[in-house]
Amino acid sequence: MREPSSEPPAKWTLYGIPLQKGIALGIGAPLYLPTYGSPIWFDPRLFAQDEDEWRDIDYRMPTEPVEVIGLVRALDDIPPVLAPYVRMVGWIVEQPPEPPLPTVPVLLAPKLPALLPPETTVVLDANAGVAYIEPSVAVLARYQAQALRVATHTRYHLEGAHLPVRTWDSRPIQVGAIAADWDAAPQVAQAGAELVWLNSDTLPEDIRATAHALGGKPLWLHLTEPTAHDDAFWQSLLRASAELHLTLFVAQADALQEATDSLAVAREALRTEHVPIGAVEVGLLAREALPDVLEPLPYAVVWQVEALTQATAERLWEAQATARALGVRRTVIVPNADTETLAIALGLEPHTLIVPAEALPDAKTRLARLSVAECREWLLLRLRDWTNPALCRQPEAWLNARAP
């Protein structure tokens, strides 16, 4: 437990409802000040009298974009921003905006301060539902450290083994792998998996070291007994999610609401401690059948398959259609990376495919030579005539024809 501090976390602290989760650090721009209706930032080169003055102004302009967090009463009333050196990284609003929402973090605050100094430092934590205007040194340091860790995570995606997989018909598919325990999770990520699947009800002792080794790659944690944990465990998960890109999975549909409520209670308890927390989503590890109504909607639905028989493939086909109608992400965990297994799974058109760790290199190589459209049509034919020898051999024929 952190020791209480007499220092206020910021000159102004705003609590609100996160509309778009995430964390942003930037210069605060109170766009509701008397400049309403006029551009807040102009490109100064627009006022150049001749080419020499234009070049002189261009020489003195910022070389890096200024990251700005806008404070507005309503997004519909935003005055235009005409400066090329300004990048909006977050919004704090008083009125709920109409969709579509911006892709940056957005916080709905009940009341903005009447008057704020321009260009003050703002930390927007839309995961916790709080914004700090002129934050204390301690709060700013915590969020700067988190932002730095997130920035270094991009290095993995610049290496060949970590590049995202695209199928033969150029469809992206996220390829993950299963880790046996927390110690194995970093090795799975560093072997090239785009995400790590882990069954565990505990957290590692050194979250920061594990997060660094994962390199920012998502970790999907299946809680086998979500109802067996107390408030302290859920708070620990939220604290860990500031370091890890964490998604939780439960095995029963009725546990979705329980997990969501437990996280909400933990978030409310933690946000007054002024520490970063992550945006934890909750998913469902489903059996083959899927209810027509899920409340709340999970972040993703995962099917774990032990053997791809005809009966299993038929039930998965129906379940995938239900998930598609609900509009949730679809994932299949397969027992191996055999060509036939991958072709059946790919024919279901999942967003994510998870394989055993040792099968990861073969899976990524073979998926790049298989087409989603071809596998879907092939699976439809296969479901009608499962034992047809020619159909059984077709995926292997595609691989052989497309070998380098």
Side-chain angles (χ1 to χ4, degrees):
M1 182 67 69
R2 294 175 58 250
E3 293 293 330
S5 173
S6 59
E7 181 188 15
K11 189 169 184 179
W12 292 274
T13 303
L14 305 179
Y15 295 97
I17 300 171
L19 302 180
Q20 185 85 322
K21 292 182 179 179
I23 290 177
L25 285 70
I27 300 298
L31 305 186
Y32 56 84
L33 291 182
T35 52
Y36 173 80
S38 300
I40 295 300
W41 291 282
F42 281 107
D43 185 341
R45 295 172 297 186
L46 297 173
F47 302 98
Q49 300 297 314
D50 52 38
E51 186 176 350
D52 289 340
E53 187 177 357
W54 189 95
R55 289 178 177 174
D56 182 57
I57 295 172
D58 183 64
Y59 178 77
R60 290 184 281 108
M61 285 178 63
T63 56
E64 294 292 333
V66 177
E67 297 187 335
V68 173
I69 296 174
L71 293 88
V72 295
R73 303 205 190 282
L75 286 179
D76 297 337
D77 298 331
I78 300 171
V81 177
L82 302 180
Y85 54 86
V86 170
R87 180 168 66 224
M88 304 303 297
V89 297
W91 294 98
I92 304 173
V93 300
E94 275 190 359
Q95 300 174 18
E98 296 292 332
L101 293 177
T103 56
V104 296
V106 181
L107 180 70
L108 177 64
K111 186 67 176 176
L112 297 176
L115 189 65
L116 288 175
E119 299 188 353
T120 187
T121 302
V122 174
V123 174
L124 172 57
D125 185 348
N127 296 329
V130 63
Y132 305 100
I133 302 170
E134 291 193 13
S136 68
V137 173
V139 169
L140 183 59
R142 292 188 195 110
Y143 283 94
Q144 284 178 328
Q146 185 187 10
L148 180 62
R149 287 193 296 274
V150 172
T152 59
H153 293 159
T154 57
R155 70 187 185 276
Y156 276 98
H157 301 287
L158 302 177
E159 303 174 16
H162 301 274
L163 291 175
V165 174
R166 284 190 170 270
T167 60
W168 189 256
D169 53 351
S170 198
R171 296 270 292 272
I173 182 166
Q174 191 177 33
V175 181
I178 303 168
D181 50 38
W182 280 104
D183 291 337
Q187 286 73 31
V188 171
Q190 292 173 18
E194 293 178 61
L195 67 85
V196 178
W197 175 271
L198 178 63
N199 297 294
S200 179
D201 281 299
T202 62
L203 293 173
E205 293 183 2
D206 192 342
I207 287 285
R208 183 166 296 183
T210 302
H212 179 76
L214 287 172
K217 292 185 175 182
L219 187 135
W220 287 9
L221 180 64
H222 172 220
L223 296 178
T224 56
E225 295 291 341
T227 58
H229 300 296
D230 56 12
D231 291 344
F233 174 80
W234 294 102
Q235 292 180 23
S236 298
L237 278 175
L238 281 178
R239 288 179 183 273
S241 67
E243 308 282 347
L244 296 168
H245 186 177
L246 187 62
T247 303
L248 303 182
F249 283 84
V250 296
Q252 291 84 29
D254 55 2
L256 285 170
Q257 188 65 62
E258 295 178 18
T260 301
D261 292 344
S262 297
L263 286 170
V265 171
R267 183 176 288 107
E268 189 65 25
L270 283 178
R271 73 173 182 170
T272 57
E273 295 191 22
H274 312 298
V275 295
I277 60 176
V280 180
E281 303 289 351
V282 181
L284 176 65
L285 177 61
R287 297 178 175 85
E288 291 168 1
L290 193 66
D292 294 332
V293 178
L294 284 174
E295 184 63 38
L297 278 178
Y299 167 75
V301 178
V302 176
W303 288 270
Q304 188 161 14
V305 180
E306 299 299 331
L308 279 169
T309 62
Q310 182 177 6
T312 300
E314 289 173 349
R315 289 192 290 267
L316 280 177
W317 181 275
E318 295 174 0
Q320 291 275 334
T322 303
R324 189 180 290 107
L326 292 171
V328 298
R329 294 180 60 87
R330 306 179 303 279
T331 299
V332 180
I333 302 178
V334 294
N336 55 60
D338 294 346
T339 304
E340 184 180 9
T341 300
L342 295 178
I344 293 172
L346 208 58
L348 297 169
E349 297 184 290
H351 297 92
T352 303
L353 190 61
I354 300 176
V355 300
E358 63 276 7
L360 182 63
D362 288 340
K364 296 180 77 171
T365 300
R366 290 166 183 165
L367 287 170
R369 298 179 193 168
L370 292 172
S371 162
V372 174
E374 287 177 341
C375 288
R376 179 179 173 82
E377 295 302 319
W378 169 81
L379 182 56
L380 281 169
L381 295 173
R382 184 81 190 276
L383 289 175
R384 299 189 188 102
D385 190 3
W386 187 261
T387 59
N388 186 311
L391 287 175
C392 293
R393 291 192 297 267
Q394 183 61 62
E396 199 67 47
W398 284 328
L399 252 64
N400 293 334
R402 296 161 185 170

